[in-house]
Amino acid sequence: GAVVSQHPSRVICKSGTSVKIECRSLDFQATTMFWYRQFPKQSLMLMATSNEGSKATYEQGVEKDKFLINHASLTLSTLTVTSAHPEDSSFYICSASPRTGGNSPLHFGNGTRLTVT
Amino acid sequence: AQSVTQPDIHITVSEGASLELRCNYSYGATPYLFWYVQSPGQGLQLLLKYFSGDTLVQGIKGFEAEFKRSQSSFNLRKPSVHWSDAAEYFCAVGEQASGNTPLVFGKGTRLSVIA
């Protein structure tokens, strides 16, 4: 079945550095991918919608200059957390669905645990 | 705007007992409803989904859910819980059957299973 791969699964970085998280659709093309953030023991909150070949759409309150999203191909979207701070520590999850649409549900990556020290 | 309410933050059941996790949604049009399960530190796994048709949907791992439009509910059930079912469960609603719109998630229900 459709698989979404997210890398890395865990990353620890120092405050002030940048971290890139990759989201790949392994066996389908996705014109749209979504990035969510999940704080401990909380639900998933949509951060942004990543559109292939165009600018991402950010949810209210999400800093686009801090969370850079690039959707350069139909199988890859990246989220870069720039100048990371401890409050950015969280679980980041991407999702994607085959571009053919229909009744294809969103498939989720396994998430990336970011810890900023 | 869409919203999802999962009234129970944490539920504990005995292994072998039946389970029902509640989910209520708010959405003006026809909802597309999902249940996902998340183990600690892991991503989400789709248990089942409702798009249309039969209001009782069967999912993986022996789970089922019933869509009740009159009650705006989509409760998840399992007749006999296994210890491996302990996890976080999320109900979600989407605008479309396809994946071109994001999902809105409830806050989740943590399931603990005791012997």
Side-chain angles (χ1 to χ4, degrees):
Chain A
V3 177
V4 173
S5 173
Q6 199 171 329
H7 178 80
S9 57
R10 291 178 181 274
V11 58
I12 300 173
C13 70
K14 293 187 176 181
S15 187
T17 62
S18 295
V19 173
K20 180 184 285 187
I21 303 170
E22 293 186 347
C23 179
R24 292 182 184 273
S25 54
L26 296 185
D27 55 359
F28 64 93
Q29 293 181 329
T31 52
T32 304
M33 294 185 177
F34 301 100
W35 287 96
Y36 295 82
R37 182 174 182 175
Q38 185 181 29
F39 289 104
K41 300 186 187 299
Q42 295 193 27
S43 187
L44 285 78
M45 300 300 295
L46 180 67
M47 296 177 65
T49 301
S50 173
N51 303 298
E52 188 267 336
S54 64
K55 292 183 178 180
T57 305
Y58 290 82
E59 295 301 298
Q60 189 173 8
V62 178
E63 300 175 60
K64 62 180 180 180
D65 294 330
K66 181 168 189 60
F67 298 100
L68 300 179
I69 291 174
N70 186 306
H71 195 150
S73 76
L74 287 171
T75 60
L76 174 64
S77 175
T78 60
L79 168 68
T80 301
V81 183
T82 62
S83 187
H85 290 284
E87 58 264 30
D88 298 324
S89 298
S90 190
F91 194 58
Y92 294 87
I93 305 178
C94 70
S95 69
S97 182
R99 65 185 299 195
T100 52
N103 288 337
S104 301
L106 287 165
H107 298 276
F108 287 82
N110 281 334
T112 297
R113 171 76 59 195
L114 170 62
T115 303
V116 184
T117 61
Chain B
Q2 306 161 66
S3 67
V4 176
T5 301
Q6 292 180 248
D8 305 304
I9 297 174
H10 183 204
I11 285 182
T12 300
V13 299
S14 299
E15 190 171 14
S18 63
L19 169 71
E20 182 170 35
L21 302 182
R22 296 183 290 167
C23 172
N24 293 95
Y25 68 90
S26 174
Y27 184 55
T30 301
Y32 296 94
L33 297 160
F34 307 81
W35 273 100
Y36 286 89
V37 61
Q38 183 183 36
S39 297
Q42 300 294 312
L44 300 178
Q45 181 181 24
L46 178 66
L47 287 176
L48 48 77
K49 60 186 185 290
Y50 172 77
F51 289 162
S52 63
D54 193 346
T55 56
L56 183 64
V57 293
Q58 302 297 320
I60 62 171
K61 302 185 179 184
F63 286 93
E64 67 177 27
E66 186 171 12
F67 170 59
K68 293 185 177 180
R69 185 185 296 275
S70 62
Q71 299 177 19
S72 297
S73 69
F74 188 57
N75 294 348
L76 182 71
R77 300 194 293 250
K78 185 169 185 177
S80 177
V81 170
H82 188 262
W83 64 266
S84 60
D85 293 324
E88 190 86 19
Y89 291 80
F90 292 97
C91 180
V93 63
E95 291 184 5
Q96 301 175 10
S98 72
N100 292 327
T101 57
L103 300 183
V104 174
F105 288 86
K107 291 182 183 262
T109 298
R110 182 161 61 94
L111 173 66
S112 296
V113 181
I114 57 176

